[in-house]
Amino acid sequence: MLTLVVFIVWLYLAHDNFRRRNNPLEWRKPWVIAGWFIPVANLVIPGQVVKEVYTRSYPEKAWSSVQLVNLWWTTLLVTFLSYTETTVHAATGTAASVTTVYTPAFLAVVTGGAGILAAILGIAIVRRISVWQDTSATR
């Protein structure tokens, strides 16, 4: 959760760099934060905001390859997939019933792997945008 908060703050600041340079983006500032918390919209808007900041931060001001952002967003969405199965076993004697909750191993491996990949790709995106914006600020 803390990582998400730090990422959203960083994204807000990276987005705000364009406003300070009189080069506003299509996605306005409220969407940078609200997009993460509006149900259903949060499946699309944050990825689009990151994609716009990424492409507009590219040094030559040309549309750079956004496959990195698309792959990051897809793997991040995969980490949100969940399925649990609950089984309630009847009580015997005076013992209370026992509830067993588990996630299938295959799904746990897929979502865990996607989470690791999303973290690595997220780091790459943050580093690229930060370097690109720092470089353009010194020109």
Side-chain angles (χ1 to χ4, degrees):
M1 183 65 164
L2 179 60
T3 304
L4 178 62
V5 171
V6 170
F7 182 80
I8 292 172
V9 168
W10 170 84
L11 182 60
Y12 183 85
L13 294 172
H15 184 280
D16 194 50
N17 283 338
F18 290 97
R19 180 197 57 80
R20 286 186 268 143
R21 294 178 184 143
N22 292 321
N23 190 7
L25 299 175
E26 284 184 38
W27 287 100
R28 299 291 178 217
K29 281 176 28 173
W31 288 110
V32 175
I33 296 171
W36 291 90
F37 302 102
I38 299 171
V40 182
N42 63 0
L43 298 174
V44 177
I45 292 174
Q48 294 299 313
V49 170
V50 171
K51 189 183 299 182
E52 183 179 23
V53 171
Y54 183 88
T55 56
R56 293 283 301 275
S57 296
Y58 192 66
E60 281 79 38
K61 302 291 184 221
W63 288 93
S64 65
S65 171
V66 293
Q67 279 109 359
L68 180 70
V69 177
N70 290 336
L71 183 59
W72 164 75
W73 187 245
T74 302
T75 56
L76 189 64
L77 290 178
V78 168
T79 64
F80 299 138
L81 294 176
S82 66
Y83 171 79
T84 56
E85 191 165 316
T86 305
T87 306
V88 178
H89 303 282
T92 56
T94 59
S97 62
V98 176
T99 303
T100 305
V101 179
Y102 71 93
T103 300
F106 174 75
L107 184 61
V109 169
V110 169
T111 57
I116 292 168
L117 184 56
I120 292 168
L121 295 172
I123 290 167
I125 290 168
V126 168
R127 288 187 58 151
R128 284 184 180 185
I129 291 173
S130 296
V131 167
W132 289 341
Q133 287 191 355
D134 286 345
T135 302
S136 69
T138 58
R139 289 183 194 176

